[in-house]
Amino acid sequence: MQSIIEVEHLEKRYNKKQALKQISFQVRPGEIFGFLGPSGSGKTTTVKILTSQLRHSSGHVQVLGDDPNRSRHAGFLSKIGVLTDNSGLYERLSVHDNLILFCRLYGVPDRRIDEVLEAMNLSDDRHTQVGKLSKGMKQRVTLGRAILHEPAILFLDEPTSALDPVNGGRIRETLREMNRRGTTIFLTTHNMEEAEELCDRVAFLNHGEISALDTPQALRLQHGDRSITVTTAHGKQVVQPNAEGAEYIRELMRRGELLAIHSNEPTLGDIFVTLTGRGLQ
Amino acid sequence: MNFSMRRFRAMVTKEWKDATRNPQILLNAGMPILLAVLFGQRGFEPGDLAYLSMPVLIAISVTGAFVQANMIAEEKEKHTLRALMLSPASKLEVLAGKSATTSLFALIVCAICVLVSGIPPVHLGYVLLLSFLLLLIFMALGTIIGLIARTASESSIVGLPILLVFVFGPIFVPDFDLPALMEFVHWLPSYQFVLAFTELLQDGGLRQIAGYLFYLLAWAAGTGVLSLLIYSRKRFDK
Ligand SMILES: Nc1ncnc2c1ncn2[C@@H]1O[C@H](COP(=O)(O)OP(=O)(O)O)[C@@H](O)[C@H]1O
Ligand SMILES: [Mg+2]
């Protein structure tokens, strides 16, 4: 299998509203692929189509060599894991009871719950009723549920609140570890730091169209500004990356006047604005 | 469609835990018991034969329809059905898990109602058979209500007119001189259940209730097929 997800000229219309316009991309096995776009750009629609929750209007879609439209069978479903912004938990049940149901539906041994709770930093809350958890904790339970069966592809639709500053590091590490063991990850976000930190390649989605697709590194090079900003007691100054600039910075350093030095490499967010004329929020 | 006992058991375990902590469901299950206590207080006259079946009728219809409807509607409302549909659980396993849990509730509520209302002993096997068919019919109606309602509380509102027709029709209409309405009530499986129950109380046997059994069986098959059809057509996305 060349690509694990294959999308060609995908279109989706909701009644009159065109949510996706002629989208094409491929995800390779083992990749962390990011779908970066502001709210309403069509990220959730794409995830729903790829995970057999929604029919597309036209175009060609293949996931794990299968048409998701015809793949509502246990074989396909047990190979994908999905975290969406609106997939619910049983609020009256404990964290543990929520997970044990899915362990048994997927045929995974119960002890897998311990590993997942550990990875999601929820071990101390296993007997807490889900209704009493914070939004971020609930999203971590949902993420734990999505990875219980170690899927071949993990779809993460805006996992931002699971990746909060306190727990985010540990969870990102879990995701990378799963990825190293072979799980392909399809992640959507409007948070460019998230995309930048995790993704091997990103697609920019804007009004249902892909306006760029490449590695974060390549995107930065293409839209690069390689100048450098130096800060001295007199203020900030932009320096070009040439012999003259090097000499200038050397001089500042020699005289002990250099207070700070920053590269002007654009962030993915900056590039998104350059390409689409709008921000990510 | 394949059916896995492991997944079915997992669903029943989850439904039972969840339902026994759900105040709305406990309220629905408590109502027939309360009514049975009132029936028991009232005491029975010899001419009251039809009334004796009421606690059983109410227990089965209210629990069967409302508990089932509530469980289905809430699963849609809270978007938990989406996670189930994304898991290898089939729609049939999900529905079977709910139906088994509803049946368990109905059985317990029914037993309590019989105990507190003090129904005289009748042939237990036949009563169970009649009650089982009635339960199938009301669970099918509950499934349809749960699929129509968008939220758990809406399912009570959608279910109320059905309860009024199916349960209070056979209880109150015979006491009034309303021939047209009575004609309609005659068609209801709940009324046929009351009649069959009365036969049993008068020492009737299989011969006396065979007609009723077939009638209820036809209703169970009809509503069962209808509910499965609506359920299998329904797509839980958007
Ligand atoms: N069920 C629906 N019916 C009609 N329009 C919809 C529906 N779902 C999404 N849309 C529209 O499709 C577009 C893309 O939505 P969505 O995929 O949810 O975007 P995102 O996840 O990037 O925020 C939006 O304009 C949204 O209003
Ligand atoms: Mg979205």
Side-chain angles (χ1 to χ4, degrees):
Chain A
M1 196 186 339
Q2 276 274 305
S3 40
I4 198 161
I5 298 175
E6 215 174 280
V7 173
E8 270 167 46
H9 307 301
L10 170 63
E11 297 223 314
K12 175 67 192 174
R13 281 177 295 277
Y14 291 108
N15 301 318
K16 286 201 181 111
K17 164 117 196 130
Q18 177 110 10
L20 297 176
K21 300 166 201 161
Q22 293 283 328
I23 282 193
S24 299
F25 64 88
Q26 271 149 31
V27 179
R28 301 173 196 131
E31 205 173 18
I32 303 186
F33 188 89
F35 232 47
L36 193 58
S39 168
S41 56
K43 301 183 296 293
T44 300
T45 301
T46 309
V47 169
K48 282 185 177 173
I49 290 170
L50 295 178
T51 55
S52 82
Q53 298 181 67
L54 190 66
R55 277 170 204 277
H56 54 280
S57 309
S58 65
H60 168 83
V61 179
Q62 262 202 345
V63 177
L64 291 159
D66 236 336
D67 176 355
N69 254 336
R70 295 199 215 97
S71 301
R72 266 208 148 123
H73 54 76
F76 175 80
L77 293 172
S78 58
K79 278 186 245 156
I80 63 168
V82 187
L83 168 80
T84 50
D85 43 3
N86 59 357
S87 68
L89 296 162
Y90 298 104
E91 305 249 322
R92 283 183 291 267
L93 299 184
S94 68
V95 172
H96 179 266
D97 286 345
N98 266 275
L99 295 179
I100 205 152
L101 167 67
F102 285 86
C103 266
R104 293 181 179 162
L105 293 182
Y106 283 101
V108 170
D110 294 353
R111 72 186 125 75
R112 172 79 179 131
I113 293 178
D114 298 333
E115 291 169 27
V116 164
L117 287 177
E118 185 64 26
M120 294 299 118
N121 208 5
L122 285 168
S123 295
D124 295 339
D125 297 288
R126 66 163 59 220
H127 297 301
T128 310
Q129 212 183 323
V130 165
K132 294 188 176 132
L133 300 178
S134 69
K135 181 165 180 277
M137 286 164 104
K138 279 184 195 167
Q139 208 183 30
R140 279 185 276 139
V141 179
T142 316
L143 179 55
R145 181 176 73 188
I147 63 170
L148 266 181
H149 56 296
E150 305 189 69
I153 311 181
L154 179 60
F155 292 89
L156 302 175
D157 191 12
E158 309 233 21
T160 310
S161 48
L163 299 172
D164 63 47
V166 181
N167 302 284
R170 186 152 170 184
I171 288 165
R172 266 186 289 273
E173 194 38 56
T174 303
L175 294 177
R176 281 199 204 89
E177 175 59 31
M178 282 181 68
N179 179 248
R180 274 195 290 276
R181 288 203 308 254
T183 298
T184 304
I185 298 177
F186 185 93
L187 174 134
T188 83
T189 182
H190 63 263
N191 181 326
M192 51 109 187
E193 282 143 24
E194 225 162 81
E196 201 143 13
E197 251 195 272
L198 279 166
C199 297
D200 299 318
R201 286 194 305 151
V202 292
F204 286 170
L205 193 65
N206 184 33
H207 293 307
E209 285 177 291
I210 291 182
S211 47
L213 194 170
D214 217 323
T215 62
Q217 179 70 15
L219 286 169
R220 270 194 295 269
L221 284 177
Q222 283 159 33
H223 303 276
D225 174 352
R226 294 170 55 228
S227 66
I228 284 161
T229 297
V230 293
T231 310
T232 63
H234 309 295
K236 290 183 182 201
Q237 213 173 339
V238 175
V239 179
Q240 292 309 316
N242 49 29
E244 207 176 314
E247 189 48 47
Y248 180 66
I249 291 172
R250 209 181 103 88
E251 185 60 22
L252 286 178
M253 288 176 84
R254 201 179 55 75
R255 281 194 254 143
E257 285 177 11
L258 186 65
L259 297 177
I261 180 161
H262 294 283
S263 108
N264 289 333
E265 192 180 51
T267 63
L268 288 184
D270 299 333
I271 301 168
F272 195 93
V273 175
T274 311
L275 282 172
T276 65
R278 68 193 285 219
L280 278 164
Q281 291 305 317
Chain B
M1 197 181 270
N2 60 336
F3 192 89
S4 139
M5 273 317 279
R6 184 195 70 225
R7 290 198 285 261
F8 169 70
R9 274 202 307 272
M11 283 305 298
V12 175
T13 309
K14 174 281 241 187
E15 297 295 3
W16 181 254
K17 261 194 189 164
D18 198 39
T20 49
R21 291 169 195 181
N22 182 340
Q24 238 174 335
I25 285 185
L26 294 179
L27 204 66
N28 282 333
M31 196 171 75
I33 297 174
L34 188 72
L35 287 173
V37 170
L38 295 177
F39 270 107
Q41 291 291 317
R42 177 180 171 276
F44 294 106
E45 303 293 323
D48 264 355
L49 287 180
Y51 271 96
L52 283 176
S53 59
M54 294 310 165
V56 177
L57 171 62
I58 294 174
I60 290 181
S61 52
V62 172
T63 329
F66 280 70
V67 172
Q68 182 85 349
N70 191 298
M71 286 196 299
I72 293 176
E74 188 177 48
E75 200 105 48
K76 290 194 298 180
E77 178 185 358
K78 300 281 164 67
H79 302 292
T80 43
L81 202 56
R82 186 185 304 279
L84 288 181
M85 291 300 144
L86 280 168
S87 85
S90 68
K91 285 175 97 173
L92 193 63
E93 287 158 354
V94 170
L95 188 63
K98 290 188 187 303
S99 305
T101 309
T102 301
S103 304
L104 201 57
F105 256 101
L107 191 71
I108 293 170
V109 171
C110 202
I112 297 175
C113 286
V114 167
L115 285 176
V116 301
S117 59
I119 295 173
V122 284
H123 194 299
L124 191 62
Y126 295 149
V127 172
L128 279 178
L129 198 58
L130 285 169
S131 307
F132 176 67
L133 290 175
L134 193 69
L135 176 62
L136 288 183
I137 296 167
F138 278 100
M139 274 197 317
L141 294 175
T143 302
I144 296 170
I145 295 167
L147 290 170
I148 294 170
R150 281 164 303 179
T151 65
S153 13
E154 210 176 277
S155 76
S156 308
I157 298 166
V158 177
L160 210 59
I162 296 181
L163 181 82
L164 282 176
V165 172
F166 277 81
V167 182
F168 291 102
I171 294 181
F172 294 116
V173 174
D175 287 348
F176 298 96
D177 189 23
L178 298 164
L181 208 55
M182 199 54 217
E183 180 69 21
F184 168 74
V185 167
H186 256 282
W187 288 96
L188 295 175
S190 43
Y191 187 64
Q192 296 296 317
F193 173 83
V194 171
L195 295 180
F197 204 95
T198 311
E199 289 284 356
L200 289 177
L201 287 168
Q202 288 170 318
D203 291 326
L206 188 57
R207 261 190 52 194
Q208 280 71 36
I209 62 161
Y212 299 111
L213 277 177
F214 277 114
Y215 189 78
L216 291 180
L217 190 64
W219 259 88
T223 49
V225 167
L226 185 67
S227 66
L228 284 177
L229 211 65
I230 298 176
Y231 180 68
S232 61
R233 290 275 170 86
K234 185 114 187 162
R235 281 183 67 102
F236 299 104
D237 25 60
K238 274 186 272 179

